[in-house]
Amino acid sequence: MAGRHTTIVAEKDDYLLDLLVDLGFANAGQVAKARVESGGNGIVDYLVANKVIRPGDVTQAKAAQFGAEVVQLASMSIPDDVLSAIPRNIAKKYRVIPVFRTEGKVAVAIADPSDLNAIDSLTHLLNAEIEPRVASETDIDAALSRYYGGSSESVMEKAVQELTMNEVQATVGPLADDGGTVDADGPLIRLVNQIIIDAFKLRASDIHLEPLAKKFRLRYRIDGVMQEMKSPPKRLQASIIARLKLQANLSISEHRIPQDGRIQTKVGAKLIDLRVSCLPTNHGESIVMRILDKEGLKLGLPELGFFQDDQKTFERLIALPDGILLVTGPTGSGKTTTLYSCLHFINRPDRKIITVEDPVEYILGGINQVQVADAVGLSFAMALRSILRQAPNVVMIGEIRDIETASIAINAALTGHLVFSTLHTNDAPGAVTRLVDIGVKPFLVASSTRCLMAQRLVRKICKKCMGPTQLTDAEMRTLGITENDLKTATPQKGRGCNNCNNTGNRGRFGIFEIFVIDDESRKLIYEQVPTSVLRVRAREMGMRTLREDGVRKVLAGLTTAEEVIRSTVGDAE
């Protein structure tokens, strides 16, 4: 019987190997060599281990073998009603993930569609027709952990199972009532801590806990993209929110107005800060926690994503003795990180640097940082007036929001200070119009501004699973890439692995639009020409648009065409 089973497995492998060759993933010589060196056993595994083929190639071949569809579980958000089609113990036993459900039918992602025993067992257990889809083993393992609980999620599930409403009230009560301490091993404490720990391990920048009509949704923002996680039970909504509000020193009795606070905690040996925002909504209070990892912040200019030519230009600009340098872009485009990197680069013992921020996100050694406090009357403008009497060389203003702040910043630039700040505009030349709209006189903008830089963030391709890819005709047309460009470049794409949580991307960097103000540009600003005219002048001086800088990084194999198109939708040029 054992000999018959070995023969069947060998026949399956032979058919799969033929498919791999037919699909161009391997050639006959590579297969023959692997057959000899592996002793005829586990030839496919041997090819993968020796990087002749990729795990994704095997998935494609298996799908072709059975005429099944390939699914990318990492990019899917599977609803709870679909997940409930297969209980946790069955999903883990047969290593399957439900991806679609209709009456009498369940589509499941499985690594080996030839495993008829598993499919027959599922048909019997679920009393439904099983429609197999194919996913890689790593993709399925990650999805099992995400939806049904791996080692960390089992901690959350265990804490949820231990909780009763009486225990919740007993856990929250002492802190709320008399300032006593709570049991650090209590189930609610463990549950809330695990939410934070999981977010940190997944490199999330934000944690979103959102009360909906029938669920308490948990989402993490990872590399700028929201990903839904397994949600805590709706019945624990009030208790989790109360616990987080207590940790952030917010009033748990106030449910009508927004509140902001901070939580400082340790994840392993790392100390992290969480900036907490609490907002009343129709179905309860929504909590968003911004994770600020002080030790993980990279402050070098190369890490921002500058190519060597742009970095050289930018280094020259931030070394100037006076003037204003403005970084523009929407919320979440990395402007603050860029400003911190500038300060880090020019921070020397012979320079006095003062910042005015709301809030102070990261503590930088050797720099004087001022936190705006509107509640006591310490506004940007008031803080600026005071710090100029401190005789700084460099001033960083978190954001120019009004005429008073803008006027003081420009006066500082005109009296020998180097000023860094941010504005919310879509492109670099648009910052001029924005300043004039605020109320700054055009001649002041012209004489004080040294550089305007717009930026966006795009996701990096994961280095562990990146491989060559072909751009579609639509992508090439949209980005203006020609066949000639591709003769000297090989676009890349991540196939998904454990390192990137099967997304194909890990980390983010910037694409930039740098407008250096020269005498001709100053003249145009003084004459109050439209932004479009300024943009033409900037292009004449060699300014690359956001999309053009993105295209350079696509051709260099650093990011994907899809990312650049998504981030530069408004860039017409």
Side-chain angles (χ1 to χ4, degrees):
M1 194 72 178
R4 181 172 177 273
H5 177 73
T6 303
T7 303
I8 292 171
V9 172
E11 287 175 356
K12 280 168 53 180
D13 272 4
D14 284 343
Y15 190 70
L16 187 58
L17 288 166
D18 289 342
L19 268 174
L20 287 166
V21 173
D22 290 343
L23 293 170
F25 295 131
N27 58 50
Q30 291 170 325
V31 171
K33 181 182 177 184
R35 196 182 295 276
V36 172
E37 294 184 359
S38 67
N41 295 317
I43 303 169
V44 175
D45 291 338
Y46 179 89
L47 289 169
V48 172
N50 286 274
K51 299 183 178 179
V52 176
I53 59 176
R54 299 173 183 272
D57 301 337
V58 180
T59 303
Q60 293 281 356
K62 285 179 177 178
Q65 183 179 0
F66 290 90
E69 179 188 343
V70 176
V71 291
Q72 301 293 334
L73 295 174
S75 60
M76 297 174 68
S77 180
I78 303 173
D80 288 342
D81 64 321
V82 174
L83 290 170
S84 64
I86 301 182
R88 180 177 183 271
N89 61 323
I90 294 176
K92 291 208 164 191
K93 179 179 179 181
Y94 294 102
R95 296 185 69 205
V96 293
I97 297 290
V99 294
F100 181 73
R101 180 185 189 181
T102 58
E103 190 173 347
K105 181 186 288 187
V106 179
V108 300
I110 187 169
D112 184 6
S114 67
D115 189 350
L116 299 180
N117 286 334
I119 293 171
D120 288 344
S121 297
L122 287 168
T123 302
H124 175 71
L125 288 167
L126 304 178
N127 192 27
E129 180 187 345
I130 301 299
E131 183 181 302
R133 310 279 172 90
V134 185
S136 69
E137 290 187 7
T138 54
D139 213 0
I140 286 175
D141 287 342
L144 284 170
S145 177
R146 176 181 174 188
Y147 292 114
Y148 291 103
S151 57
S152 64
E153 204 162 350
S154 63
V155 175
M156 292 176 63
E157 289 188 351
K158 187 176 179 183
V160 169
Q161 289 166 5
E162 291 176 9
L163 278 166
T164 66
M165 292 315 294
N166 290 334
E167 287 172 325
V168 169
Q169 290 163 5
T171 306
V172 176
L175 266 179
D177 296 336
D178 57 19
T181 58
V182 297
D183 177 11
D185 293 323
L188 181 69
I189 311 299
R190 292 204 306 275
L191 174 60
V192 172
N193 287 348
Q194 198 62 49
I195 289 172
I196 296 171
I197 290 168
D198 287 352
F200 185 78
K201 286 181 177 177
L202 290 170
R203 302 175 295 102
S205 59
D206 307 288
I207 302 169
H208 295 250
L209 285 158
E210 303 161 309
L212 305 178
K214 295 183 179 179
K215 68 185 289 188
F216 187 37
R217 183 166 65 179
L218 170 64
R219 295 194 290 176
Y220 297 155
R221 190 185 298 278
I222 303 171
D223 292 334
V225 177
M226 295 286 274
Q227 295 187 21
E228 187 164 351
M229 314 307 290
K230 188 169 178 62
S231 302
K234 177 73 172 175
R235 66 182 177 86
L236 299 181
Q237 174 180 310
S239 307
I240 291 171
I241 290 173
R243 172 61 190 163
L244 289 168
K245 287 170 75 174
L246 285 167
Q247 285 184 280
N249 291 318
L250 305 179
S251 170
I252 64 167
S253 61
E254 180 56 73
H255 306 286
R256 299 163 301 172
I257 61 173
Q259 298 184 76
D260 295 307
R262 292 179 90 102
I263 296 174
Q264 191 172 79
T265 187
K266 271 194 170 185
V267 176
K270 279 198 169 187
L271 185 67
I272 63 169
D273 274 351
L274 294 103
R275 200 169 77 202
V276 182
S277 171
C278 181
L279 180 71
T281 68
N282 282 347
H283 302 291
E285 291 171 286
S286 171
I287 297 274
V288 176
M289 293 179 280
R290 174 87 182 272
I291 299 174
L292 306 173
D293 174 21
K294 295 178 181 179
E295 297 174 28
L297 184 67
K298 293 181 178 179
L299 294 171
L301 290 177
E303 285 81 10
L304 294 179
F306 284 111
F307 271 154
Q308 193 170 3
D309 54 349
D310 283 343
Q311 183 176 332
K312 188 175 180 181
T313 299
F314 200 62
E315 286 178 359
R316 175 179 62 80
L317 290 165
I318 64 178
L320 293 171
D322 56 29
I324 291 184
L325 283 83
L326 290 174
V327 182
T328 76
T331 301
S333 59
K335 301 187 297 295
T336 302
T337 301
T338 297
L339 291 183
Y340 278 134
S341 299
C342 294
L343 297 182
H344 182 74
F345 183 80
I346 63 176
N347 187 14
R348 301 193 305 266
D350 62 340
R351 282 193 163 190
K352 179 160 184 173
I353 303 173
I354 303 181
T355 74
V356 186
E357 305 172 61
D358 183 20
V360 173
E361 292 192 7
Y362 298 97
I363 307 300
L364 301 177
I367 293 175
N368 303 281
Q369 295 174 267
V370 177
Q371 167 78 56
V372 169
D374 288 323
V376 295
L378 184 58
S379 63
F380 273 107
M382 177 178 282
L384 271 173
R385 280 194 295 268
S386 298
I387 67 174
L388 290 178
R389 291 193 284 270
Q390 297 273 317
N393 300 104
V394 180
V395 177
M396 187 197 95
I397 306 166
E399 182 185 348
I400 293 179
R401 301 177 179 176
D402 51 51
I403 179 60
E404 192 175 8
T405 305
S407 298
I408 298 171
I410 285 175
N411 286 331
L414 294 173
T415 53
H417 303 84
L418 182 61
V419 179
F420 295 103
S421 192
T422 68
L423 274 178
H424 287 269
T425 64
N426 290 329
D427 61 0
V432 172
T433 305
R434 174 69 177 142
L435 286 173
V436 173
D437 287 345
I438 287 175
V440 181
K441 300 295 184 186
F443 78 90
L444 291 174
V445 177
S447 54
S448 62
T449 308
R450 298 286 179 267
C451 173
L452 304 169
M453 184 177 81
Q455 70 175 68
R456 300 290 187 276
L457 292 178
V458 294
R459 290 185 290 177
K460 295 180 186 176
I461 299 171
C462 175
K463 292 182 179 179
K464 296 284 183 70
C465 64
M466 68 191 305
T469 188
Q470 287 190 335
L471 301 181
T472 66
D473 290 341
E475 288 173 337
M476 292 178 65
R477 188 167 56 252
T478 302
L479 295 178
I481 295 173
T482 65
E483 292 291 346
N484 196 47
D485 294 328
L486 297 178
K487 289 179 181 177
T488 56
T490 306
Q492 303 282 315
K493 189 170 185 178
R495 298 180 186 273
C497 65
N498 289 333
N499 183 56
C500 60
N501 199 27
N502 289 293
T503 61
N505 301 290
R506 183 179 173 90
R508 290 188 293 172
F509 64 94
I511 54 176
F512 305 98
E513 182 175 279
I514 304 174
F515 180 16
V516 181
I517 307 298
D518 66 346
D519 289 339
E520 179 62 28
S521 301
R522 288 192 182 92
K523 181 182 177 184
L524 293 173
I525 293 170
Y526 180 73
E527 293 172 354
Q528 290 186 262
V529 300
T531 301
S532 57
V533 177
L534 269 181
R535 192 168 184 80
V536 169
R537 173 58 189 164
R539 299 299 304 281
E540 289 173 353
M541 293 172 59
M543 181 190 83
R544 275 181 290 270
T545 65
L546 290 165
R547 178 160 287 185
E548 287 169 344
D549 192 43
V551 167
R552 289 205 300 168
K553 288 161 186 174
V554 169
L555 296 176
L558 301 175
T559 189
T560 62
E562 181 185 2
E563 277 293 296
V564 173
I565 292 169
R566 178 184 62 82
S567 300
T568 60
V569 171
D571 193 347
E573 294 185 64

